[in-house]
Amino acid sequence: MSAPSQRRSEKVQSKAAEGCDPARGLQQCIRQQEILAELGVTALQRASLDQLLDDTVRLTAQGLETEFCKVLELLPSENTFRVRAGVGWSPGVVGVAKISANLDSPAGYALRCGKPVISNHLESETRFKTPEILHRHGVRRAMNVILQGDGKPFGVLEVASRSQTEFVEQDIAFLQGAANILGMAIEREREERKLRAALARNEALLKEMNHRVKNSLSIVGGMLRLQANDADDGQVAELLNKASHRVDAIAKAHDQLSQGSDVERMDIGKYIEALCHDLDESVAQCDVRTEIDEGIVIPTDRAVSTALIVNELIANAAKYAYENHSGVIAVKVARADENNFIVSVRDEGAGMPDDIDPRDRKGLGMRIISSFTRQLNATIEIKRRNPGAEFIVSIPLQGSS
């Protein structure tokens, strides 16, 4: 409940306290204040609407020492009330029974007149008819107040009794207090429902947007591959194929985003695994294998940069380690410590001469790797293996603030 709502609730309880009639008994007045406080706490604890409705009818009946209480929910399309919650009624009433919302019922009369209604002698009432449900339960007197919600009436809160003891004006203060607390909870619940619906719509739109971006990028990647196939120059074809792989790497990020619920962060392990699966099909002479730790969640922009580094490292391994034959490229994603994770790409190919550092190469691939490594505030280590080589990139989970 918001601060304004809480202040309104406190005013309701204060007004109800002013309405206590000493002749009705101090203990009953105290109990009514306790009930309003209890309902206010339940509303503040964000109880479900159904629970709050049940608590309201039960406690309101106690506070007014009546056998019956019910919440009548207005169904505008049918011009009727449905018994949404109740206490004291026979089976088959709550959740099922309906009564007219016109002037021919106490609840309808209160709703149409816009004010509380007390009827201490239903058998002689001339303002409206007594509903069959009240006749059937032997009710002699009833009191109704409007239950507001979300700027319009939700329905009516009604108490009823078989006894001949009369309701007095002061009873209205307590009943209206309970109705107001319930009404504020109804308003909050409806607003939350609207927010949830709006959030669901936005999430659906974001998923659709990512799906369409992925499809568009996939088309671009496909066109680049077609151009590579038609190129007469082998070097041009290679460059076009590499460009298509870079586009595919970004498309795969949008594919992952369209399948999840969080567009700002993603599991880097799952993303790299999906990327490697696609590269395994496109790097024909190599078997791309993965060893992935799931649950390493990082910001989406950092995940894309990491994936582009992996894409270039796999491309380099395929080109230089296995230039004329097939082999295995092993990709690993693992948590290094609380603040960092590592991505490694290892081959079992020709290896590197001791006097050559791949980082000194001026090709586009190494420039891309160096650029994204700096962007991620990461470090890259090259280990010469027997056979092959391993590139290990250590990356902070979060960027520098």
Side-chain angles (χ1 to χ4, degrees):
M1 189 183 295
S2 64
S5 295
Q6 185 175 359
R7 288 195 293 272
R8 279 187 285 164
S9 176
E10 291 169 352
K11 289 181 180 179
V12 164
Q13 296 176 34
S14 175
K15 191 170 183 179
E18 294 174 2
C20 282
D21 180 3
R24 300 295 298 274
L26 180 60
Q27 290 301 318
Q28 185 181 8
C29 288
I30 293 174
R31 177 57 183 148
Q32 289 179 354
Q33 295 311 299
E34 291 174 344
I35 287 172
L36 292 178
E38 185 175 343
L39 289 174
V41 169
T42 302
L44 285 170
Q45 290 175 337
R46 310 183 77 82
S48 69
L49 180 58
D50 285 339
Q51 179 186 339
L52 192 56
L53 289 170
D54 290 341
D55 288 348
T56 299
V57 294
R58 175 177 55 83
L59 293 172
T60 300
Q62 289 181 16
L64 290 169
E65 298 179 347
T66 61
E67 306 97 306
F68 306 101
C69 183
K70 62 177 179 283
V71 170
L72 293 164
E73 180 182 9
L74 179 63
L75 305 177
S77 61
E78 301 178 15
N79 195 32
T80 61
F81 293 110
R82 176 170 63 96
V83 181
R84 176 72 181 271
V87 64
W89 308 99
S90 59
V93 172
V94 177
V96 177
K98 295 181 180 180
I99 66 171
S100 170
N102 289 323
L103 294 172
D104 55 354
S105 73
Y109 188 86
L111 182 69
R112 303 306 171 187
C113 293
K115 60 183 180 180
V117 172
I118 295 177
S119 179
N120 285 312
H121 304 282
L122 287 172
E123 72 280 0
S124 59
E125 186 62 66
T126 59
R127 294 172 294 177
F128 44 77
K129 297 177 182 178
T130 302
E132 187 276 334
I133 187 175
L134 298 184
H135 275 307
R136 183 166 18 114
H137 288 81
V139 170
R140 294 185 175 182
R141 59 191 177 103
M143 182 166 57
N144 291 263
V145 296
I146 297 174
L147 181 57
Q148 294 290 339
D150 195 24
K152 56 186 177 183
F154 176 84
V156 169
L157 177 61
E158 177 185 270
V159 291
S161 177
R162 297 188 182 106
S163 72
Q164 295 183 354
T165 304
E166 295 189 352
F167 291 121
V168 296
E169 289 295 327
Q170 288 86 346
D171 292 327
I172 289 291
F174 169 71
L175 187 62
Q176 190 67 67
N180 288 350
I181 292 174
L182 182 56
M184 286 182 275
I186 292 170
E187 181 178 353
R188 182 205 69 205
E189 193 270 344
R190 283 180 171 173
E191 288 300 320
E192 289 179 348
R193 192 189 315 154
K194 291 178 182 177
L195 288 174
R196 287 194 296 269
L199 180 60
R201 285 195 299 271
N202 287 339
E203 288 179 350
L205 287 172
L206 284 171
K207 286 186 177 183
E208 178 64 19
M209 179 191 72
N210 280 305
H211 181 69
R212 294 192 180 197
V213 170
K214 185 266 293 186
N215 287 344
S216 297
L217 290 173
S218 296
I219 291 172
V220 173
M223 292 174 64
L224 289 171
R225 285 188 289 276
L226 287 174
Q227 288 183 315
N229 292 334
D230 290 342
D232 295 328
D233 189 316
Q235 185 176 6
V236 171
E238 181 184 356
L239 291 173
L240 288 172
N241 273 318
K242 285 185 175 180
S244 74
H245 291 158
R246 291 165 188 142
V247 172
D248 288 342
I250 300 173
K252 181 58 66 175
H254 288 281
D255 184 40
Q256 294 287 306
L257 291 173
S258 69
Q259 297 176 31
S261 59
D262 190 349
V263 297
E264 296 183 352
R265 301 171 67 81
M266 66 166 55
D267 188 317
I268 184 61
K270 291 182 178 179
Y271 177 19
I272 296 298
E273 187 172 41
L275 175 67
C276 290
H277 179 270
D278 289 351
L279 288 173
D280 185 45
E281 297 179 355
S282 60
V283 185
Q285 81 277 23
C286 295
D287 180 11
V288 182
R289 301 176 183 176
T290 57
E291 181 183 341
I292 302 298
D293 285 352
E294 295 186 1
I296 304 174
V297 180
I298 64 174
T300 298
D301 58 343
R302 296 179 67 77
V304 172
S305 298
T306 302
L308 288 170
I309 292 175
V310 172
N311 180 78
E312 297 302 323
L313 289 174
I314 291 175
N316 283 350
K319 179 178 181 179
Y320 297 110
Y322 303 114
E323 186 173 0
N324 298 314
H325 60 284
S326 62
V328 173
I329 300 175
V331 179
K332 180 179 180 180
V333 178
R335 187 180 292 274
D337 53 43
E338 184 178 348
N339 301 311
N340 301 274
F341 70 99
I342 63 102
V343 175
S344 75
V345 177
R346 179 180 176 178
D347 64 73
E348 297 176 354
M352 295 178 296
D354 293 338
D355 59 344
I356 293 180
D357 188 337
R359 288 170 293 197
D360 294 334
R361 290 175 177 159
K362 302 303 180 183
L364 178 59
M366 283 309 303
R367 294 206 306 271
I368 289 175
I369 292 171
S370 298
S371 175
F372 283 119
T373 299
R374 288 193 300 271
Q375 184 184 104
L376 293 169
N377 196 27
T379 59
I380 185 167
E381 179 184 4
I382 304 171
K383 291 188 176 182
R384 288 170 171 81
R385 302 296 188 183
N386 186 20
E390 182 179 12
F391 289 73
I392 303 173
V393 188
S394 179
I395 307 170
L397 293 169
Q398 299 290 337
S400 56
S401 56

